[in-house]
Amino acid sequence: MKLKIAVLAGDGIGPEIMEQGVAVLSAVADKFGHEVSFQEALVGAHAIDEVGNPFPDETYEACMQADAVLFASVGDPKFDNNPNAKVRPEQGLLAMRKKLGLFANIRPVETFECLIHKSPLKDELVRGADFICIRELTGGMYFGEKREGTDEAYDTNKYTRPEVERILRVAYQYARQRRKHLTVVDKANVLASSRLWRAVAQEMAPEYPDVTTDFMYVDNAAMRMIQEPKFFDVMVTENTFGDILTDEGSCITGSMGLLPSASTGEHTPVFEPIHGSWPQAKGLNIANPLAQILSVAMLYEYFGLAAEGALIREAVNASLDQNVRTPEIQVAGGAQYGTKEVGQWIVDYILQKK
Ligand code: IPM
Ligand code: MN
């Protein structure tokens, strides 16, 4: 297969983990005889510094012309600490989501046996937890009408029926391929927008008789995720709730640095780690590249290349089993591996695999 990849490394640790993601993508392409080309483009704080725009038109064009976007992270403390900043790196990410029509954000919450002790939850609660959160990504408060005055400010949580219906369809498709259990998370006891979500879901449920649909208020879902994470198979929710619940989900697995995601929709799909740009670690060769590398696995799988994805997952699991790990997940007394060394080990594993 021929694949054109737009590479948006962004800020902080982004370029370092991206280097490893690209190396793995290329190694797998060599192994399986795919022809991959890369086009780098600016995004985030980096893009603001260079051209004054966190998602420049050239970057948008590069994304639109690509088959897939591999994205790392954006964000820089110099903007976080300045409430008057006119443009922010995060706006680059939001602009990309909106312009590419990336309405479905797929965030798997998976546990790795060797990292279970890192979870703040008891082993028996978290072992075997395996669900995905489908987060609506281009609607709700993030994009609704806003006012930002000094005495009054608001964000509008608006959803239309077609927006709700299309994300629910994506969720039902995933549920069908998994354990056939869909949980629709809302706040229908208080919010009008949530009642629309619930009404649309109730209308659609009979079209998917093989899937069990249940409804849960978001506050209850936040609690259930730590009390009984194994309850969930596929969860679907609006933009803001999904943002919050997926951070919770990533930390209960004990491995925030290991979780990839995919965002799909109307145009080019984007694959990215769910963690941020960790500016304090920039240039230190300590960031875990595994979420970026697993995002590459999701990219291959998206194009139906299951064996390619499986080989990457196998290599990642082997690296963990053999304690080839970055410092934050290394066992006491274990050898120290940096971002580059972990990436290189995985590349070698892939190339040497018979
Ligand atoms: C995420 C991030 C973003 C979001 C930020 C960086 C704008 O937290 O992808 O979850 O809130 O969506
Ligand atoms: Mn978030």
Side-chain angles (χ1 to χ4, degrees):
M1 186 181 269
K2 271 193 178 169
L3 286 173
K4 247 171 119 173
I5 310 291
V7 174
L8 276 57
D11 308 319
I13 58 169
E16 293 163 65
I17 57 173
M18 181 60 87
E19 202 184 317
Q20 303 315 316
V22 166
V24 169
L25 210 158
S26 305
V28 171
D30 284 354
K31 184 98 193 163
F32 288 84
H34 302 303
E35 204 178 301
V36 190
S37 62
F38 298 100
Q39 164 92 56
E40 291 184 13
L42 296 172
V43 70
H46 196 64
I48 298 175
D49 292 343
E50 300 267 322
V51 297
N53 178 351
F55 191 64
D57 292 344
E58 300 75 54
T59 301
Y60 171 63
E61 286 306 323
C63 292
M64 289 299 280
Q65 277 157 27
D67 297 303
V69 177
L70 192 61
F71 186 97
S73 53
V74 292
D76 190 299
K78 74 182 176 204
F79 295 94
D80 296 343
N81 301 329
N82 175 9
N84 299 319
K86 293 229 157 35
V87 281
R88 296 177 176 281
E90 289 77 8
Q91 287 166 349
L93 183 58
L94 299 182
M96 177 180 77
R97 289 172 180 172
K98 197 66 176 177
K99 288 188 162 174
L100 298 181
L102 301 169
F103 63 85
N105 181 216
I106 291 113
R107 295 189 166 183
V109 177
E110 280 172 311
T111 49
F112 290 82
E113 182 58 37
C114 63
L115 294 177
I116 281 178
H117 68 283
K118 289 263 173 192
S119 171
L121 300 189
K122 293 195 186 91
D123 286 15
E124 65 269 23
L125 286 182
V126 75
R127 178 169 289 117
D130 172 17
F131 63 93
I132 54 176
C133 180
I134 313 256
R135 169 187 175 193
E136 200 290 329
L137 204 57
T138 53
M141 273 194 278
Y142 275 64
F143 296 97
E145 190 196 325
K146 290 177 194 295
R147 190 182 121 78
E148 195 159 356
T150 42
D151 294 318
E152 188 198 57
Y154 59 78
D155 305 278
T156 316
N157 201 30
K158 181 179 164 188
Y159 272 104
T160 64
R161 175 175 282 269
E163 283 175 320
V164 177
E165 202 180 310
R166 68 182 178 178
I167 187 74
L168 287 171
R169 294 231 179 264
V170 172
Y172 271 115
Q173 293 306 332
Y174 273 90
R176 275 204 160 148
Q177 285 157 28
R178 293 175 50 101
R179 303 191 301 276
K180 302 186 170 41
H181 176 199
L182 179 66
T183 304
V184 181
V185 175
D186 63 29
K187 188 71 189 171
N189 50 347
V190 177
L191 301 178
S193 50
S194 281
R195 286 192 286 273
L196 175 66
W197 272 71
R198 199 172 273 218
V200 174
Q202 280 165 343
E203 283 168 32
M204 283 168 65
E207 289 180 51
Y208 301 88
D210 49 327
V211 175
T212 305
T213 306
D214 50 33
F215 298 90
M216 203 180 277
Y217 297 140
V218 62
D219 45 354
N220 188 24
M223 192 172 74
R224 195 78 182 257
M225 269 170 63
I226 52 172
Q227 275 182 336
E228 196 194 354
K230 280 179 266 191
F231 171 82
F232 297 102
D233 175 19
V234 178
M235 163 193 292
V236 62
T237 192
E238 62 153 88
N239 204 345
T240 307
F241 298 161
D243 177 46
I244 299 166
L245 291 179
T246 54
D247 263 33
E248 186 185 346
S250 71
C251 91
I252 62 177
T253 66
S255 54
M256 176 110 184
L258 263 70
L259 298 184
S261 77
S263 299
T264 65
E266 295 162 18
H267 304 291
T268 319
V270 175
F271 301 86
E272 60 174 311
I274 80 154
H275 62 68
S277 61
W278 197 15
Q280 300 78 5
K282 179 180 175 172
L284 300 182
N285 194 39
I286 56 172
N288 195 333
L290 294 185
Q292 188 77 58
I293 290 171
L294 289 167
S295 300
V296 173
M298 288 186 90
L299 186 156
Y300 274 114
E301 286 158 0
Y302 174 88
F303 291 101
L305 303 170
E308 287 79 341
L311 179 55
I312 295 174
R313 291 176 193 281
E314 181 189 318
V316 165
N317 286 331
S319 73
L320 291 170
D321 287 345
Q322 297 188 33
N323 290 334
V324 178
R325 306 180 189 186
T326 42
E328 90 291 1
I329 54 168
Q330 186 52 292
V331 293
Q336 296 293 312
Y337 290 90
T339 314
K340 284 197 179 106
E341 290 74 27
V342 171
Q344 188 61 50
W345 193 94
I346 289 172
V347 164
D348 292 342
Y349 183 99
I350 289 166
L351 294 176
Q352 281 157 26
K353 175 83 185 176
K354 292 278 179 322

